Amino acid sequence: GFTLYVADDQNMLYAVDASAFNMAKIGEVDLGRRANELFAGGGIVYAPTIAGVGASRGGFVTVDATDPTAMTIVSDSFDDGTPVTGSGIDLANSGAGIGVTIGGAIGPVPNVLDVYDLTAPPTPGVNDPDGNYLDPDSLLTRFFFPERPRAVEIASGVAYSAVGNSGLIVTNYKTFDTGGTPPEVTING
């Protein structure tokens, strides 16, 4: 079907059946924090969250939406006890287990693009050992921007970020040869 995911300012994520002219809410889940630009694909919804006082340590909330009528939280954003703060304005998924988020100049997070391992399992929290949180080790690397970013997309393993008056910044967040095995070529004559 055609499912649309929307978040409101009351920390709720809604699944909406958009297959007919009259859209209808079919599911909802409380994210526990305010989400920004959503990314949905493969039965998962990623809801980036901004780090700040009373909000979170940033990062993103991961929601299992394989059944949009019964969505569940897979992992929360960073636990309040972790030393890591993540960006959370927008998120883009490479489709190969890597995701990038952007954020900037809000609370403890500078203007950045963060690269995450989206396959990393959730981890217990420092302050909440029974909870499932974004694993701090899933943050692979961070790139700094000269100004606050507004949006990010991924194409062909490269991140494209709209960054303030700086315009479009292109970030090669992953080396082209990551297999560690050089190619072998055989020429028969």
Side-chain angles (χ1 to χ4, degrees):
F2 297 92
T3 306
L4 174 69
Y5 298 96
V6 294
D8 67 12
D9 62 355
Q10 301 299 311
N11 305 333
M12 297 299 293
L13 172 68
Y14 300 98
V16 177
D17 179 356
S19 61
F21 183 71
N22 294 322
M23 294 188 284
K25 180 179 78 169
I26 57 174
E28 64 183 52
V29 66
D30 186 347
L31 296 172
R33 26 194 116 262
R34 187 171 178 194
N36 292 301
E37 304 292 331
L38 302 174
F39 185 96
I44 300 291
V45 176
Y46 299 96
T49 62
I50 294 177
V53 178
S56 75
R57 297 289 292 171
F60 50 90
V61 177
T62 307
V63 177
D64 180 345
T66 51
D67 178 358
T69 64
M71 297 182 291
T72 57
I73 303 291
V74 175
S75 68
D76 199 347
S77 56
F78 289 125
D79 175 54
D80 293 337
T82 184
V84 176
T85 55
S87 56
I89 292 174
D90 196 3
L91 180 143
N93 183 341
S94 70
I98 299 294
V100 297
T101 62
I102 56 167
I106 297 175
V109 179
N111 301 316
V112 295
L113 178 137
D114 288 337
V115 180
Y116 287 94
D117 175 1
L118 296 179
T119 65
T123 185
V126 175
N127 292 337
D128 180 10
D130 295 326
N132 288 321
Y133 293 91
L134 183 60
D135 184 350
D137 292 334
S138 67
L139 177 57
L140 303 175
T141 192
R142 173 172 278 179
F143 297 91
F144 293 89
F145 290 142
E147 297 177 74
R148 185 171 183 219
R150 305 288 182 212
V152 65
E153 294 298 332
I154 292 177
S156 301
V158 177
Y160 298 88
S161 305
V163 180
N165 291 326
S166 298
L168 183 68
I169 293 183
V170 179
T171 307
N172 179 15
Y173 60 87
K174 187 174 181 183
T175 59
F176 290 111
D177 180 21
T178 61
T181 304
E184 293 183 23
V185 177
T186 303
I187 300 174
N188 294 324

